Amino acid sequence: MTVSTIDRPADRQSDRPAASATPTRESDTDTAPVVAVLIPCYNEEAAIAAVVRDFRTALPDATVYVYDNNSSDRTVEVAKAAGAVVRHEPLQGKGNVMRRMFSDIEADVYVLVDGDDTYHAPSAPLMVKRLWDDQLDMVNGARVTEIVKAYRPGHRFGNKLLTGMVALIFGDRIQDMLSGYRVFSRRFIKSFPALASGFETETELTVHALELNMPIAEIKAPYKDRPPGSHSKLNTIRDGIRILRTIVNLVKEERPLPFFFAIFAALAAASVILAWPVVATYLQTGLVPRLPTAVLSTGLVLLGFLSLTCGLILDTVTLGRREAKRMRYLSIPAPGVHPVRKAAGS
């Protein structure tokens, strides 16, 4: 399969860079996907031109969109000069930008990449081809590098820790959960709720795919250091805590019974530990000399059973939500059906 685009509807033509080519053979038009490259960007003046140029070279028939997130440097001017379609999202945060991109852009295949020039553009055609040929919903670009500055030990350890937590709870199908380089199908993008506001959005993307048992794959892609003048916006501790909090919230929302059962088990264990000496004394003397401890133990076990009851009720609610999300997902054509072209009536 050649990675190229189909003829676009008239109202989309203005979004395409002038250098983009359109297939001439009817067979190409019938089989090739509409590809959009999505680049969320904040103060990447030093890197964005190379990113746009490299992805226009790797995917010459794709439209490259740069969504500026209140940059204070010349990111917008540089991206336009490089041939990208530039749009804006005023709400600060990567998650907010991705929500806007996923809402606005119509395509069959979406290539998501950061604007810091650390990801390998020549891997994009392989990832797109893998998704399209195998009718997948997500292909993750797992980062591979020996450059210490590009992938610092703290970030590497945090990624493995957080990815391992998600794998333990939702399934071990992704090895680099926090990668910013992914390819998506239309039905993934249009069924993804996008509730996160910051860097925790990568966790949300992964859990969405795992929770609905989507067909996904992972391809190793080279990873490099940022160019001079470009600086990371990721705060290891702050954003790590936000990602951890997102994982806990997703477990509560998507796995309520195990979550609340764990609370029940902790409260029940504490209650038994506190009650044991009180019960032993009562069996020996017939008296309850430590009444406050007995009351506390009783309260803990009641709270534990209340938590278990909440888990049972919410598990039923979650099942209904999961069924609704699954039906929404199935209502969107699989890769290869070209919903964009059908919607245009061509």
Side-chain angles (χ1 to χ4, degrees), residues 147-162:
I147 305 173
V148 176
K149 282 187 65 178
Y151 201 4
R152 288 176 284 176
H155 290 178
R156 194 185 299 266
F157 172 76
N159 187 19
K160 288 185 176 180
L161 176 64
L162 296 171

Side-chain angles (χ1 to χ4, degrees), residues 175-293:
Q175 302 304 312
D176 187 4
M177 180 186 74
L178 301 182
S179 172
Y181 192 16
R182 307 183 190 219
V183 175
F184 302 101
S185 69
R186 176 180 172 82
R187 65 178 177 180
F188 183 107
I189 294 298
K190 298 306 179 181
S191 67
F192 177 61
L195 301 177
S197 60
F199 284 106
E200 65 273 19
T201 188
E202 277 96 359
T203 303
E204 200 178 34
L205 287 166
T206 301
V207 172
H208 180 64
L210 297 176
E211 185 64 12
L212 292 184
N213 293 318
M214 294 182 182
I216 62 177
E218 192 168 61
I219 291 178
K220 292 183 178 180
Y223 188 67
K224 59 183 178 179
D225 195 11
R226 285 171 169 266
S230 176
H231 304 285
S232 175
K233 285 75 179 178
L234 178 67
N235 184 291
T236 304
I237 297 177
R238 182 194 64 204
D239 291 307
I241 292 174
R242 292 184 66 174
I243 294 169
L244 182 60
R245 185 177 62 194
T246 298
I247 293 174
V248 173
N249 286 333
L250 288 170
V251 173
K252 175 177 66 69
E253 294 167 3
E254 305 297 341
R255 297 287 191 274
L257 185 55
F259 180 85
F260 286 99
F261 180 83
I263 297 176
F264 160 75
L267 292 172
S271 176
V272 169
I273 293 172
L274 290 172
W276 181 253
V278 176
V279 173
T281 301
Y282 175 77
L283 293 176
Q284 291 175 357
T285 65
L287 301 174
V288 183
R290 290 185 286 183
L291 183 61
T293 303

